[in-house]
Amino acid sequence: METPAVSTTGEKDTSQPQQQWEKNLRENFDSVTQIRQQPRDPPTETLELGVSPDPASQILENTQGTEKLVAELEGDSHKSHGSTSQMSEALQASDLWYCPDGSFVKKIIIRGHGLDKPKLGSCCRVLALGFPFGSGPPEGWTELTMGVGPWREETWGELIEKCLESMCQGEEAELQLPGHSGPPVRLTLASFTQGRDSWELETSEKEALAREERARGTELFRAGNAEGAARCYGRALRLLLTLPPPGPPERTVLHANLAACQLLLGQPQLAAQSCDRVLEREPGHLKALYRRGVAQAALGNLEKATA
């Protein structure tokens, strides 16, 4: 984020406050990230699609857009309605939270209490308003179970689940989405039941959940829902990636299936990466070789595609 240059016409230099704000924001983001990582899963690859692109390159590409969203939140703080109109203090860096994959920026309107956050299996009572997608969550208060249920297959499901994982009980927040110029989405978490982190699950439990996700993904793929299928395959992979190497053989099939979805979704770069992961484990995997060739051709790398 660039700081404004000093005006040659005698205007007040605002670079120092801007630099201080950026410093506070970075320090706060680091502290929030540390808090979220303490009780939650060990770092794993992010493999989700659509709302949550997975590779680190996608995150880096989203950095500029995320900074723009933060600037918009700062500039629009006086436009908030309801409880925000009663806030007398200026927006602080601690009121903002970046989603690590760059899919949204969260501004806390009403702080929750406690340190616990929803985990796998937590039943959450939530209220979501202002979603720009064709179909959003049900009107009024609704109950959503983390990690379970068909609601996660909806376009809005992935976004809500990621946000809920960062919220405390009683918290109300606004979400700014890249490319969405309308009013911010508002999400309230009234309460939730106790859940478990994935590292608390037994190996057999993780494998069983992964099989369920894979089966559901295959159903969705056959029904023509490549985006929903990709999310299911990605969730299955996140569960299996927490197991000791080399991991179960299902990982190979899941990466290959994910590549097929990514090709249909017009994401050849991601498809090529998924195929690479398959071929690292099975160099002669025919479907992965073919799909990587299709992906490279789509990227214009004809020599690699021919090979």
Side-chain angles (χ1 to χ4, degrees), residues 1 21 25 28-29 62-74 91-93 95-109 159 162-163 166 171 173-178 184-187:
M1 182 181 297
W21 183 87
L25 183 58
N28 175 71
F29 178 73
N62 280 326
T63 301
Q64 183 176 1
T66 302
E67 291 178 348
K68 180 180 179 182
L69 289 177
V70 174
E72 290 174 353
L73 286 172
E74 175 73 13
L91 179 65
Q92 301 297 318
D95 294 322
L96 300 177
W97 182 79
Y98 300 83
C99 183
D101 63 8
S103 59
F104 65 90
V105 175
K106 182 183 76 171
K107 179 175 73 172
I108 299 175
I109 304 303
L159 181 66
K162 288 187 294 185
C163 188
S166 72
E171 182 177 319
E174 287 184 348
L175 312 182
Q176 282 283 359
L177 314 178
V185 173
R186 183 168 289 228
L187 187 65

mmCIF file of all heavy atoms in Angstrom, residues 1 21 25 28-29 62-74 91-93 95-109 159 162-163 166 171 173-178 184-187:
data_model
loop_
_atom_site.group_PDB
_atom_site.id
_atom_site.type_symbol
_atom_site.label_atom_id
_atom_site.label_comp_id
_atom_site.label_asym_id
_atom_site.label_seq_id
_atom_site.Cartn_x
_atom_site.Cartn_y
_atom_site.Cartn_z
ATOM 1 N N MET A 1 0.858 -1.192 0.000
ATOM 2 C CA MET A 1 0.000 0.000 0.000
ATOM 3 C C MET A 1 0.890 1.236 0.000
ATOM 4 O O MET A 1 1.774 1.373 0.826
ATOM 5 C CB MET A 1 -0.882 -0.027 1.265
ATOM 6 C CG MET A 1 -1.852 1.133 1.344
ATOM 7 S SD MET A 1 -2.806 1.039 2.869
ATOM 8 C CE MET A 1 -3.662 -0.478 2.610
ATOM 9 N N TRP A 21 -0.686 3.713 10.813
ATOM 10 C CA TRP A 21 -1.878 2.855 10.663
ATOM 11 C C TRP A 21 -1.488 1.519 10.054
ATOM 12 O O TRP A 21 -1.920 0.467 10.484
ATOM 13 C CB TRP A 21 -2.897 3.557 9.786
ATOM 14 C CG TRP A 21 -4.181 2.772 9.654
ATOM 15 C CD1 TRP A 21 -5.256 2.807 10.476
ATOM 16 C CD2 TRP A 21 -4.508 1.842 8.627
ATOM 17 N NE1 TRP A 21 -6.228 1.955 10.028
ATOM 18 C CE2 TRP A 21 -5.802 1.349 8.899
ATOM 19 C CE3 TRP A 21 -3.844 1.356 7.498
ATOM 20 C CZ2 TRP A 21 -6.423 0.416 8.095
ATOM 21 C CZ3 TRP A 21 -4.464 0.415 6.700
ATOM 22 C CH2 TRP A 21 -5.742 -0.031 7.007
ATOM 23 N N LEU A 25 -1.846 -2.148 11.714
ATOM 24 C CA LEU A 25 -2.605 -3.190 11.047
ATOM 25 C C LEU A 25 -1.791 -4.452 10.890
ATOM 26 O O LEU A 25 -2.273 -5.561 11.129
ATOM 27 C CB LEU A 25 -3.051 -2.682 9.678
ATOM 28 C CG LEU A 25 -3.933 -3.625 8.847
ATOM 29 C CD1 LEU A 25 -5.198 -3.960 9.633
ATOM 30 C CD2 LEU A 25 -4.288 -2.987 7.520
ATOM 31 N N ASN A 28 -1.400 -6.129 14.305
ATOM 32 C CA ASN A 28 -2.637 -6.774 14.725
ATOM 33 C C ASN A 28 -2.894 -8.050 13.941
ATOM 34 O O ASN A 28 -3.298 -9.058 14.484
ATOM 35 C CB ASN A 28 -3.807 -5.818 14.525
ATOM 36 C CG ASN A 28 -5.128 -6.480 14.820
ATOM 37 O OD1 ASN A 28 -5.414 -6.743 15.980
ATOM 38 N ND2 ASN A 28 -5.911 -6.745 13.791
ATOM 39 N N PHE A 29 -2.636 -8.010 12.617
ATOM 40 C CA PHE A 29 -2.857 -9.194 11.792
ATOM 41 C C PHE A 29 -1.970 -10.337 12.241
ATOM 42 O O PHE A 29 -2.389 -11.484 12.315
ATOM 43 C CB PHE A 29 -2.581 -8.851 10.327
ATOM 44 C CG PHE A 29 -2.746 -10.026 9.403
ATOM 45 C CD1 PHE A 29 -4.013 -10.502 9.114
ATOM 46 C CD2 PHE A 29 -1.647 -10.661 8.851
ATOM 47 C CE1 PHE A 29 -4.174 -11.579 8.277
ATOM 48 C CE2 PHE A 29 -1.815 -11.736 8.014
ATOM 49 C CZ PHE A 29 -3.070 -12.188 7.728
ATOM 50 N N ASN A 62 -3.955 -11.602 -4.499
ATOM 51 C CA ASN A 62 -5.070 -10.931 -3.849
ATOM 52 C C ASN A 62 -4.627 -9.864 -2.858
ATOM 53 O O ASN A 62 -5.446 -9.163 -2.289
ATOM 54 C CB ASN A 62 -5.935 -11.953 -3.094
ATOM 55 C CG ASN A 62 -6.876 -12.686 -4.021
ATOM 56 O OD1 ASN A 62 -7.355 -12.114 -4.990
ATOM 57 N ND2 ASN A 62 -7.132 -13.947 -3.730
ATOM 58 N N THR A 63 -3.310 -9.746 -2.617
ATOM 59 C CA THR A 63 -2.828 -8.813 -1.607
ATOM 60 C C THR A 63 -3.241 -7.391 -1.913
ATOM 61 O O THR A 63 -3.725 -6.664 -1.044
ATOM 62 C CB THR A 63 -1.288 -8.891 -1.506
ATOM 63 O OG1 THR A 63 -0.922 -10.222 -1.177
ATOM 64 C CG2 THR A 63 -0.786 -7.931 -0.451
ATOM 65 N N GLN A 64 -3.073 -6.961 -3.181
ATOM 66 C CA GLN A 64 -3.429 -5.589 -3.538
ATOM 67 C C GLN A 64 -4.914 -5.353 -3.359
ATOM 68 O O GLN A 64 -5.333 -4.319 -2.837
ATOM 69 C CB GLN A 64 -3.021 -5.321 -4.978
ATOM 70 C CG GLN A 64 -3.307 -3.865 -5.406
ATOM 71 C CD GLN A 64 -2.806 -3.608 -6.811
ATOM 72 O OE1 GLN A 64 -2.273 -4.487 -7.455
ATOM 73 N NE2 GLN A 64 -2.977 -2.399 -7.278
ATOM 74 N N GLY A 65 -5.726 -6.351 -3.772
ATOM 75 C CA GLY A 65 -7.158 -6.195 -3.616
ATOM 76 C C GLY A 65 -7.566 -6.150 -2.158
ATOM 77 O O GLY A 65 -8.471 -5.407 -1.773
ATOM 78 N N THR A 66 -6.883 -6.942 -1.307
ATOM 79 C CA THR A 66 -7.198 -6.938 0.113
ATOM 80 C C THR A 66 -6.884 -5.590 0.734
ATOM 81 O O THR A 66 -7.643 -5.060 1.535
ATOM 82 C CB THR A 66 -6.397 -8.042 0.832
ATOM 83 O OG1 THR A 66 -6.722 -9.296 0.238
ATOM 84 C CG2 THR A 66 -6.741 -8.082 2.315
ATOM 85 N N GLU A 67 -5.725 -5.004 0.333
ATOM 86 C CA GLU A 67 -5.369 -3.683 0.863
ATOM 87 C C GLU A 67 -6.412 -2.655 0.449
ATOM 88 O O GLU A 67 -6.770 -1.768 1.227
ATOM 89 C CB GLU A 67 -3.984 -3.279 0.350
ATOM 90 C CG GLU A 67 -2.859 -4.140 0.948
ATOM 91 C CD GLU A 67 -1.516 -3.737 0.381
ATOM 92 O OE1 GLU A 67 -1.489 -2.980 -0.603
ATOM 93 O OE2 GLU A 67 -0.499 -4.176 0.925
ATOM 94 N N LYS A 68 -6.933 -2.786 -0.785
ATOM 95 C CA LYS A 68 -7.958 -1.853 -1.238
ATOM 96 C C LYS A 68 -9.217 -1.985 -0.405
ATOM 97 O O LYS A 68 -9.844 -1.000 -0.036
ATOM 98 C CB LYS A 68 -8.260 -2.124 -2.711
ATOM 99 C CG LYS A 68 -9.333 -1.187 -3.280
ATOM 100 C CD LYS A 68 -9.594 -1.512 -4.736
ATOM 101 C CE LYS A 68 -10.675 -0.609 -5.299
ATOM 102 N NZ LYS A 68 -10.977 -0.942 -6.714
ATOM 103 N N LEU A 69 -9.570 -3.252 -0.083
ATOM 104 C CA LEU A 69 -10.754 -3.463 0.740
ATOM 105 C C LEU A 69 -10.585 -2.847 2.115
ATOM 106 O O LEU A 69 -11.510 -2.245 2.666
ATOM 107 C CB LEU A 69 -11.028 -4.966 0.885
ATOM 108 C CG LEU A 69 -11.540 -5.694 -0.363
ATOM 109 C CD1 LEU A 69 -11.676 -7.170 -0.066
ATOM 110 C CD2 LEU A 69 -12.862 -5.114 -0.810
ATOM 111 N N VAL A 70 -9.390 -2.986 2.687
ATOM 112 C CA VAL A 70 -9.138 -2.396 3.993
ATOM 113 C C VAL A 70 -9.286 -0.884 3.925
ATOM 114 O O VAL A 70 -9.875 -0.256 4.803
ATOM 115 C CB VAL A 70 -7.732 -2.774 4.495
ATOM 116 C CG1 VAL A 70 -7.410 -2.036 5.780
ATOM 117 C CG2 VAL A 70 -7.645 -4.269 4.731
ATOM 118 N N ALA A 71 -8.765 -0.295 2.839
ATOM 119 C CA ALA A 71 -8.885 1.152 2.682
ATOM 120 C C ALA A 71 -10.347 1.569 2.561
ATOM 121 O O ALA A 71 -10.767 2.575 3.124
ATOM 122 C CB ALA A 71 -8.104 1.613 1.445
ATOM 123 N N GLU A 72 -11.135 0.773 1.841
ATOM 124 C CA GLU A 72 -12.550 1.089 1.704
ATOM 125 C C GLU A 72 -13.271 1.002 3.037
ATOM 126 O O GLU A 72 -14.114 1.821 3.362
ATOM 127 C CB GLU A 72 -13.192 0.140 0.695
ATOM 128 C CG GLU A 72 -12.734 0.394 -0.749
ATOM 129 C CD GLU A 72 -13.279 -0.656 -1.684
ATOM 130 O OE1 GLU A 72 -13.884 -1.625 -1.192
ATOM 131 O OE2 GLU A 72 -13.108 -0.511 -2.904
ATOM 132 N N LEU A 73 -12.909 -0.031 3.830
ATOM 133 C CA LEU A 73 -13.525 -0.162 5.141
ATOM 134 C C LEU A 73 -13.195 1.035 6.015
ATOM 135 O O LEU A 73 -14.036 1.553 6.746
ATOM 136 C CB LEU A 73 -13.037 -1.451 5.815
ATOM 137 C CG LEU A 73 -13.614 -2.754 5.257
ATOM 138 C CD1 LEU A 73 -12.884 -3.921 5.882
ATOM 139 C CD2 LEU A 73 -15.096 -2.853 5.516
ATOM 140 N N GLU A 74 -11.953 1.488 5.938
ATOM 141 C CA GLU A 74 -11.532 2.641 6.730
ATOM 142 C C GLU A 74 -12.297 3.888 6.308
ATOM 143 O O GLU A 74 -12.786 4.653 7.120
ATOM 144 C CB GLU A 74 -10.026 2.858 6.541
ATOM 145 C CG GLU A 74 -9.481 4.097 7.226
ATOM 146 C CD GLU A 74 -9.409 3.930 8.718
ATOM 147 O OE1 GLU A 74 -9.549 2.800 9.200
ATOM 148 O OE2 GLU A 74 -9.212 4.936 9.420
ATOM 149 N N LEU A 91 -12.180 3.775 13.519
ATOM 150 C CA LEU A 91 -11.888 2.374 13.282
ATOM 151 C C LEU A 91 -10.438 2.060 13.640
ATOM 152 O O LEU A 91 -9.519 2.731 13.202
ATOM 153 C CB LEU A 91 -12.141 2.042 11.804
ATOM 154 C CG LEU A 91 -11.858 0.611 11.366
ATOM 155 C CD1 LEU A 91 -12.820 -0.334 12.074
ATOM 156 C CD2 LEU A 91 -12.009 0.498 9.861
ATOM 157 N N GLN A 92 -10.243 1.037 14.443
ATOM 158 C CA GLN A 92 -8.911 0.621 14.849
ATOM 159 C C GLN A 92 -8.472 -0.582 14.022
ATOM 160 O O GLN A 92 -9.295 -1.333 13.492
ATOM 161 C CB GLN A 92 -8.903 0.261 16.343
ATOM 162 C CG GLN A 92 -9.328 1.400 17.249
ATOM 163 C CD GLN A 92 -8.374 2.581 17.177
ATOM 164 O OE1 GLN A 92 -7.151 2.387 17.158
ATOM 165 N NE2 GLN A 92 -8.911 3.776 17.123
ATOM 166 N N ALA A 93 -7.168 -0.772 13.921
ATOM 167 C CA ALA A 93 -6.642 -1.911 13.181
ATOM 168 C C ALA A 93 -7.132 -3.228 13.768
ATOM 169 O O ALA A 93 -7.321 -4.204 13.058
ATOM 170 C CB ALA A 93 -5.113 -1.871 13.183
ATOM 171 N N ASP A 95 -9.966 -3.957 14.676
ATOM 172 C CA ASP A 95 -11.324 -4.254 14.242
ATOM 173 C C ASP A 95 -11.348 -4.985 12.905
ATOM 174 O O ASP A 95 -12.421 -5.359 12.434
ATOM 175 C CB ASP A 95 -12.136 -2.964 14.106
ATOM 176 C CG ASP A 95 -12.351 -2.274 15.443
ATOM 177 O OD1 ASP A 95 -12.551 -2.988 16.439
ATOM 178 O OD2 ASP A 95 -12.304 -1.040 15.491
ATOM 179 N N LEU A 96 -10.211 -5.170 12.265
ATOM 180 C CA LEU A 96 -10.136 -5.779 10.945
ATOM 181 C C LEU A 96 -9.450 -7.133 11.005
ATOM 182 O O LEU A 96 -8.525 -7.344 11.786
ATOM 183 C CB LEU A 96 -9.369 -4.868 9.984
ATOM 184 C CG LEU A 96 -9.943 -3.476 9.746
ATOM 185 C CD1 LEU A 96 -9.014 -2.693 8.829
ATOM 186 C CD2 LEU A 96 -11.336 -3.561 9.165
ATOM 187 N N TRP A 97 -9.916 -8.053 10.149
ATOM 188 C CA TRP A 97 -9.284 -9.366 10.040
ATOM 189 C C TRP A 97 -9.285 -9.771 8.580
ATOM 190 O O TRP A 97 -10.316 -9.744 7.914
ATOM 191 C CB TRP A 97 -10.050 -10.400 10.867
ATOM 192 C CG TRP A 97 -9.438 -11.776 10.835
ATOM 193 C CD1 TRP A 97 -8.367 -12.217 11.539
ATOM 194 C CD2 TRP A 97 -9.880 -12.884 10.034
ATOM 195 N NE1 TRP A 97 -8.117 -13.532 11.235
ATOM 196 C CE2 TRP A 97 -9.025 -13.966 10.311
ATOM 197 C CE3 TRP A 97 -10.925 -13.067 9.118
ATOM 198 C CZ2 TRP A 97 -9.170 -15.213 9.718
ATOM 199 C CZ3 TRP A 97 -11.060 -14.304 8.509
ATOM 200 C CH2 TRP A 97 -10.191 -15.361 8.813
ATOM 201 N N TYR A 98 -8.096 -10.114 8.061
ATOM 202 C CA TYR A 98 -7.981 -10.597 6.699
ATOM 203 C C TYR A 98 -8.271 -12.100 6.670
ATOM 204 O O TYR A 98 -7.694 -12.846 7.450
ATOM 205 C CB TYR A 98 -6.550 -10.474 6.177
ATOM 206 C CG TYR A 98 -5.938 -9.119 6.126
ATOM 207 C CD1 TYR A 98 -5.347 -8.555 7.254
ATOM 208 C CD2 TYR A 98 -5.874 -8.428 4.935
ATOM 209 C CE1 TYR A 98 -4.727 -7.327 7.196
ATOM 210 C CE2 TYR A 98 -5.241 -7.199 4.861
ATOM 211 C CZ TYR A 98 -4.676 -6.660 5.999
ATOM 212 O OH TYR A 98 -4.053 -5.453 5.932
ATOM 213 N N CYS A 99 -9.084 -12.557 5.749
ATOM 214 C CA CYS A 99 -9.122 -13.989 5.487
ATOM 215 C C CYS A 99 -7.798 -14.337 4.792
ATOM 216 O O CYS A 99 -7.412 -13.657 3.838
ATOM 217 C CB CYS A 99 -10.301 -14.355 4.585
ATOM 218 S SG CYS A 99 -10.439 -16.130 4.293
ATOM 219 N N PRO A 100 -7.069 -15.346 5.261
ATOM 220 C CA PRO A 100 -5.730 -15.614 4.712
ATOM 221 C C PRO A 100 -5.698 -15.826 3.206
ATOM 222 O O PRO A 100 -4.684 -15.543 2.573
ATOM 223 C CB PRO A 100 -5.295 -16.882 5.467
ATOM 224 C CG PRO A 100 -6.032 -16.818 6.762
ATOM 225 C CD PRO A 100 -7.359 -16.209 6.426
ATOM 226 N N ASP A 101 -6.784 -16.329 2.594
ATOM 227 C CA ASP A 101 -6.745 -16.559 1.158
ATOM 228 C C ASP A 101 -7.201 -15.339 0.357
ATOM 229 O O ASP A 101 -7.307 -15.390 -0.863
ATOM 230 C CB ASP A 101 -7.596 -17.776 0.771
ATOM 231 C CG ASP A 101 -9.074 -17.594 1.079
ATOM 232 O OD1 ASP A 101 -9.478 -16.464 1.444
ATOM 233 O OD2 ASP A 101 -9.834 -18.572 0.957
ATOM 234 N N GLY A 102 -7.478 -14.226 1.049
ATOM 235 C CA GLY A 102 -7.829 -12.997 0.363
ATOM 236 C C GLY A 102 -9.251 -12.914 -0.137
ATOM 237 O O GLY A 102 -9.597 -11.993 -0.876
ATOM 238 N N SER A 103 -10.121 -13.863 0.264
ATOM 239 C CA SER A 103 -11.484 -13.874 -0.272
ATOM 240 C C SER A 103 -12.385 -12.831 0.370
ATOM 241 O O SER A 103 -13.431 -12.497 -0.190
ATOM 242 C CB SER A 103 -12.111 -15.264 -0.117
ATOM 243 O OG SER A 103 -12.149 -15.657 1.242
ATOM 244 N N PHE A 104 -12.034 -12.304 1.535
ATOM 245 C CA PHE A 104 -12.821 -11.242 2.144
ATOM 246 C C PHE A 104 -12.024 -10.582 3.255
ATOM 247 O O PHE A 104 -11.003 -11.106 3.712
ATOM 248 C CB PHE A 104 -14.156 -11.769 2.705
ATOM 249 C CG PHE A 104 -14.017 -12.742 3.849
ATOM 250 C CD1 PHE A 104 -13.974 -12.304 5.165
ATOM 251 C CD2 PHE A 104 -13.949 -14.106 3.614
ATOM 252 C CE1 PHE A 104 -13.844 -13.189 6.215
ATOM 253 C CE2 PHE A 104 -13.822 -15.003 4.664
ATOM 254 C CZ PHE A 104 -13.771 -14.544 5.972
ATOM 255 N N VAL A 105 -12.498 -9.404 3.675
ATOM 256 C CA VAL A 105 -11.963 -8.719 4.842
ATOM 257 C C VAL A 105 -13.108 -8.544 5.828
ATOM 258 O O VAL A 105 -14.196 -8.107 5.458
ATOM 259 C CB VAL A 105 -11.375 -7.340 4.476
ATOM 260 C CG1 VAL A 105 -10.936 -6.593 5.736
ATOM 261 C CG2 VAL A 105 -10.206 -7.498 3.524
ATOM 262 N N LYS A 106 -12.874 -8.902 7.072
ATOM 263 C CA LYS A 106 -13.915 -8.813 8.099
ATOM 264 C C LYS A 106 -13.674 -7.596 8.976
ATOM 265 O O LYS A 106 -12.561 -7.361 9.445
ATOM 266 C CB LYS A 106 -13.905 -10.072 8.967
ATOM 267 C CG LYS A 106 -14.999 -10.084 10.036
ATOM 268 C CD LYS A 106 -14.907 -11.329 10.916
ATOM 269 C CE LYS A 106 -13.778 -11.214 11.922
ATOM 270 N NZ LYS A 106 -13.784 -12.298 12.912
ATOM 271 N N LYS A 107 -14.742 -6.796 9.187
ATOM 272 C CA LYS A 107 -14.697 -5.680 10.120
ATOM 273 C C LYS A 107 -15.632 -6.010 11.283
ATOM 274 O O LYS A 107 -16.828 -6.231 11.089
ATOM 275 C CB LYS A 107 -15.128 -4.374 9.458
ATOM 276 C CG LYS A 107 -15.105 -3.187 10.431
ATOM 277 C CD LYS A 107 -15.414 -1.864 9.738
ATOM 278 C CE LYS A 107 -16.876 -1.757 9.375
ATOM 279 N NZ LYS A 107 -17.214 -0.391 8.870
ATOM 280 N N ILE A 108 -15.097 -6.053 12.491
ATOM 281 C CA ILE A 108 -15.896 -6.380 13.662
ATOM 282 C C ILE A 108 -16.739 -5.169 14.050
ATOM 283 O O ILE A 108 -16.214 -4.087 14.303
ATOM 284 C CB ILE A 108 -14.997 -6.808 14.834
ATOM 285 C CG1 ILE A 108 -14.196 -8.063 14.456
ATOM 286 C CG2 ILE A 108 -15.829 -7.067 16.082
ATOM 287 C CD1 ILE A 108 -13.182 -8.491 15.503
ATOM 288 N N ILE A 109 -18.053 -5.364 14.101
ATOM 289 C CA ILE A 109 -18.978 -4.300 14.496
ATOM 290 C C ILE A 109 -19.278 -4.391 15.988
ATOM 291 O O ILE A 109 -19.234 -3.397 16.709
ATOM 292 C CB ILE A 109 -20.286 -4.395 13.686
ATOM 293 C CG1 ILE A 109 -19.985 -4.367 12.185
ATOM 294 C CG2 ILE A 109 -21.227 -3.262 14.067
ATOM 295 C CD1 ILE A 109 -19.212 -3.167 11.718
ATOM 296 N N LEU A 159 -17.827 -19.329 2.228
ATOM 297 C CA LEU A 159 -17.483 -18.038 2.811
ATOM 298 C C LEU A 159 -17.943 -17.953 4.268
ATOM 299 O O LEU A 159 -17.185 -17.530 5.148
ATOM 300 C CB LEU A 159 -18.123 -16.925 1.988
ATOM 301 C CG LEU A 159 -17.852 -15.490 2.443
ATOM 302 C CD1 LEU A 159 -16.377 -15.170 2.277
ATOM 303 C CD2 LEU A 159 -18.695 -14.514 1.645
ATOM 304 N N LYS A 162 -15.771 -20.162 6.640
ATOM 305 C CA LYS A 162 -14.457 -19.581 6.935
ATOM 306 C C LYS A 162 -14.574 -18.420 7.911
ATOM 307 O O LYS A 162 -13.731 -18.247 8.793
ATOM 308 C CB LYS A 162 -13.770 -19.136 5.647
ATOM 309 C CG LYS A 162 -13.282 -20.271 4.783
ATOM 310 C CD LYS A 162 -12.473 -19.770 3.604
ATOM 311 C CE LYS A 162 -13.309 -18.978 2.640
ATOM 312 N NZ LYS A 162 -12.544 -18.586 1.430
ATOM 313 N N CYS A 163 -15.623 -17.615 7.749
ATOM 314 C CA CYS A 163 -15.793 -16.474 8.644
ATOM 315 C C CYS A 163 -16.154 -16.937 10.052
ATOM 316 O O CYS A 163 -15.631 -16.420 11.039
ATOM 317 C CB CYS A 163 -16.860 -15.539 8.096
ATOM 318 S SG CYS A 163 -16.989 -13.989 9.005
ATOM 319 N N SER A 166 -13.527 -17.756 12.521
ATOM 320 C CA SER A 166 -12.752 -16.653 13.107
ATOM 321 C C SER A 166 -13.547 -15.852 14.135
ATOM 322 O O SER A 166 -13.037 -14.869 14.664
ATOM 323 C CB SER A 166 -12.279 -15.700 11.999
ATOM 324 O OG SER A 166 -13.379 -14.936 11.492
ATOM 325 N N GLU A 171 -20.465 -12.207 18.406
ATOM 326 C CA GLU A 171 -19.807 -11.267 17.491
ATOM 327 C C GLU A 171 -20.693 -10.943 16.292
ATOM 328 O O GLU A 171 -21.388 -11.797 15.757
ATOM 329 C CB GLU A 171 -18.485 -11.863 17.007
ATOM 330 C CG GLU A 171 -17.689 -10.952 16.079
ATOM 331 C CD GLU A 171 -16.355 -11.542 15.684
ATOM 332 O OE1 GLU A 171 -15.686 -12.141 16.571
ATOM 333 O OE2 GLU A 171 -15.991 -11.423 14.507
ATOM 334 N N ALA A 173 -20.265 -8.899 12.511
ATOM 335 C CA ALA A 173 -19.214 -8.397 11.626
ATOM 336 C C ALA A 173 -19.771 -8.081 10.249
ATOM 337 O O ALA A 173 -20.816 -8.601 9.843
ATOM 338 C CB ALA A 173 -18.086 -9.423 11.517
ATOM 339 N N GLU A 174 -19.057 -7.203 9.533
ATOM 340 C CA GLU A 174 -19.328 -6.919 8.135
ATOM 341 C C GLU A 174 -18.209 -7.508 7.291
ATOM 342 O O GLU A 174 -17.037 -7.456 7.683
ATOM 343 C CB GLU A 174 -19.426 -5.410 7.892
ATOM 344 C CG GLU A 174 -20.686 -4.777 8.434
ATOM 345 C CD GLU A 174 -20.787 -3.299 8.095
ATOM 346 O OE1 GLU A 174 -19.761 -2.742 7.632
ATOM 347 O OE2 GLU A 174 -21.854 -2.702 8.298
ATOM 348 N N LEU A 175 -18.562 -8.038 6.127
ATOM 349 C CA LEU A 175 -17.585 -8.647 5.232
ATOM 350 C C LEU A 175 -17.560 -7.868 3.931
ATOM 351 O O LEU A 175 -18.601 -7.642 3.310
ATOM 352 C CB LEU A 175 -17.941 -10.108 4.937
ATOM 353 C CG LEU A 175 -18.289 -11.006 6.120
ATOM 354 C CD1 LEU A 175 -18.552 -12.418 5.639
ATOM 355 C CD2 LEU A 175 -17.180 -10.987 7.156
ATOM 356 N N GLN A 176 -16.368 -7.442 3.519
ATOM 357 C CA GLN A 176 -16.174 -6.819 2.218
ATOM 358 C C GLN A 176 -15.609 -7.870 1.280
ATOM 359 O O GLN A 176 -14.611 -8.519 1.584
ATOM 360 C CB GLN A 176 -15.217 -5.625 2.314
ATOM 361 C CG GLN A 176 -15.857 -4.362 2.870
ATOM 362 C CD GLN A 176 -16.728 -3.651 1.839
ATOM 363 O OE1 GLN A 176 -16.820 -4.113 0.703
ATOM 364 N NE2 GLN A 176 -17.362 -2.560 2.218
ATOM 365 N N LEU A 177 -16.276 -8.056 0.131
ATOM 366 C CA LEU A 177 -15.883 -9.071 -0.830
ATOM 367 C C LEU A 177 -15.265 -8.418 -2.061
ATOM 368 O O LEU A 177 -15.773 -7.400 -2.531
ATOM 369 C CB LEU A 177 -17.107 -9.897 -1.254
ATOM 370 C CG LEU A 177 -18.031 -10.378 -0.135
ATOM 371 C CD1 LEU A 177 -19.206 -11.138 -0.733
ATOM 372 C CD2 LEU A 177 -17.278 -11.239 0.854
ATOM 373 N N PRO A 178 -14.179 -8.985 -2.609
ATOM 374 C CA PRO A 178 -13.582 -8.424 -3.827
ATOM 375 C C PRO A 178 -14.595 -8.384 -4.962
ATOM 376 O O PRO A 178 -15.320 -9.353 -5.204
ATOM 377 C CB PRO A 178 -12.439 -9.396 -4.131
ATOM 378 C CG PRO A 178 -12.129 -10.044 -2.821
ATOM 379 C CD PRO A 178 -13.425 -10.133 -2.097
ATOM 380 N N PRO A 184 -21.957 -4.046 2.413
ATOM 381 C CA PRO A 184 -21.214 -5.208 2.899
ATOM 382 C C PRO A 184 -22.152 -6.269 3.464
ATOM 383 O O PRO A 184 -23.243 -5.973 3.952
ATOM 384 C CB PRO A 184 -20.318 -4.627 3.998
ATOM 385 C CG PRO A 184 -21.005 -3.375 4.420
ATOM 386 C CD PRO A 184 -21.677 -2.838 3.199
ATOM 387 N N VAL A 185 -21.711 -7.508 3.362
ATOM 388 C CA VAL A 185 -22.445 -8.621 3.961
ATOM 389 C C VAL A 185 -22.308 -8.525 5.476
ATOM 390 O O VAL A 185 -21.234 -8.197 5.994
ATOM 391 C CB VAL A 185 -21.874 -9.962 3.464
ATOM 392 C CG1 VAL A 185 -22.510 -11.130 4.206
ATOM 393 C CG2 VAL A 185 -22.084 -10.100 1.969
ATOM 394 N N ARG A 186 -23.384 -8.798 6.183
ATOM 395 C CA ARG A 186 -23.348 -8.744 7.650
ATOM 396 C C ARG A 186 -23.623 -10.138 8.206
ATOM 397 O O ARG A 186 -24.566 -10.800 7.785
ATOM 398 C CB ARG A 186 -24.362 -7.738 8.177
ATOM 399 C CG ARG A 186 -24.323 -7.578 9.703
ATOM 400 C CD ARG A 186 -25.124 -6.364 10.134
ATOM 401 N NE ARG A 186 -24.448 -5.141 9.761
ATOM 402 C CZ ARG A 186 -24.260 -4.107 10.595
ATOM 403 N NH1 ARG A 186 -24.696 -4.168 11.826
ATOM 404 N NH2 ARG A 186 -23.640 -3.020 10.195
ATOM 405 N N LEU A 187 -22.781 -10.561 9.139
ATOM 406 C CA LEU A 187 -22.897 -11.897 9.729
ATOM 407 C C LEU A 187 -22.844 -11.788 11.248
ATOM 408 O O LEU A 187 -21.958 -11.134 11.796
ATOM 409 C CB LEU A 187 -21.764 -12.794 9.228
ATOM 410 C CG LEU A 187 -21.827 -14.270 9.628
ATOM 411 C CD1 LEU A 187 -23.039 -14.939 8.998
ATOM 412 C CD2 LEU A 187 -20.551 -14.994 9.190
#
